[in-house]
Amino acid sequence: MIRSLLLSALVAGALSCGVPTYPPSVTRVVGGEEATPNSWPWQVSLLYTSNGNWYHTCGGTLIANNWVLTAAHCINSSRTYGVALGRHNLYIAESGSLVVSVSETVVHPDWDSSDVSKGYDIALVKLADPVSLTDKIQLACLPPAGAILPNNYPCYVTGWGYLQTNGPASDVLQQGRLLIVDYDTCSSPDWWGSTVKPCMICAGGDGVTSSCYGDSGGPLNCPAADGRWEVHGIVSFGSSLGCNYYHKPSVFTRVCKYIDWINS
């Protein structure tokens, strides 16, 4: 009986991922916009400490009550990290938000920091203490292994990164609507060419809306058929020509390629 209750609780917990208490405003606005506060409650800020202060370095996604998914290029072994959860404004200690220290970072073993185009830009961050889930801190759903979204499928990138090339960064969480660019298109010579691999997702490329510096490691949120949000991508890289460069869409680590690694 106890075992069946535990299983029921685990199933209920799994079903509750990807359903924010405060639903996001999913408009078709061109360009980024301020997100509805706490409408992406799995979005976290990866912080590092310097001279006794915390500083935002990357985004991340809460996938368990003690694990955060982020990009490998966000992790530097010489830094001490923390994670801010339940935040809308990074610089205000808002009610229901908290900062938790990090006990471990796990970078994919095949990640090559000298060549992001090889892929494997994925890492896991273990929280020193599990967090309690609330209306402002919730878990993301991950897609099933092998899930491929069709061309022009609408998703949302979220983060506190630069509002445009060369800044400034945003104090409050931003969201931007990006359409998926299928692999055949994105890997064509006048787009990203051979830089893009099947283990990546392209989204955007309209020259208007994109991820930017400071959004790295954060989620690409895509709606599933059952209404839940799934995190299909991790912000990996963009064009050196600028954040919003035409036919150079934001490139994300394709989460569904790494489900077995995450679970292990």
Side-chain angles (χ1 to χ4, degrees), residues 4-258:
S4 65
L5 284 173
L6 283 172
L7 286 172
S8 298
L10 286 170
V11 170
L15 291 175
S16 66
C17 68
V19 183
T21 302
Y22 310 102
S25 170
V26 286
T27 62
R28 292 172 176 265
V29 70
V30 175
E33 60 179 334
E34 182 177 343
T36 301
N38 308 115
S39 60
W40 306 103
W42 43 85
Q43 168 86 49
V44 308
S45 166
L46 184 66
L47 310 169
Y48 70 95
T49 185
S50 178
N51 298 321
N53 295 313
W54 289 110
Y55 296 94
H56 169 80
T57 182
C58 278
T61 301
L62 189 69
I63 59 170
N65 67 354
N66 62 337
W67 285 101
V68 165
L69 188 65
T70 189
H73 79 262
C74 291
I75 304 299
N76 181 326
S77 59
S78 65
R79 282 181 167 175
T80 298
Y81 290 102
V83 171
L85 305 103
R87 284 284 171 88
H88 180 63
N89 188 317
L90 274 186
Y91 302 100
I92 296 175
E94 297 159 323
S95 173
S97 69
L98 67 157
V99 174
V100 180
S101 58
V102 166
S103 63
E104 183 183 2
T105 55
V106 184
V107 173
H108 195 286
D110 294 325
W111 163 246
D112 181 352
S113 59
S114 65
D115 188 0
V116 69
S117 69
K118 287 183 179 177
Y120 306 104
D121 191 9
I122 186 170
L124 289 163
V125 173
K126 188 174 186 180
L127 305 182
D129 298 297
V131 295
S132 298
L133 303 182
T134 68
D135 60 339
K136 296 181 178 179
I137 301 172
Q138 294 171 25
L139 303 183
C141 299
L142 299 183
I148 302 293
L149 295 173
N151 196 49
N152 287 328
Y153 196 85
C155 299
Y156 287 81
V157 64
T158 50
W160 291 276
Y162 283 13
L163 296 172
Q164 67 259 347
T165 305
N166 299 322
S170 177
D171 291 354
V172 296
L173 188 66
Q174 299 283 311
Q175 66 180 42
R177 185 176 187 265
L178 300 180
L179 301 182
I180 295 292
V181 180
D182 64 25
Y183 175 72
D184 287 346
T185 302
C186 198
S187 60
S188 62
D190 55 340
W191 287 65
W192 270 110
S194 60
T195 302
V196 164
K197 308 297 189 293
C199 62
M200 303 171 186
I201 295 177
C202 300
D206 61 359
V208 178
T209 309
S210 73
S211 60
C212 204
Y213 182 78
D215 290 325
S216 287
L220 180 68
N221 306 280
C222 305
D226 62 4
R228 295 186 299 170
W229 291 93
E230 295 176 339
V231 171
H232 278 257
I234 302 166
V235 178
S236 182
F237 65 90
S239 174
S240 60
L241 300 169
C243 293
N244 309 83
Y245 207 76
Y246 185 63
H247 279 192
K248 288 290 185 286
S250 303
V251 182
F252 302 80
T253 301
R254 188 185 294 275
V255 172
C256 71
K257 291 279 189 180
Y258 298 95

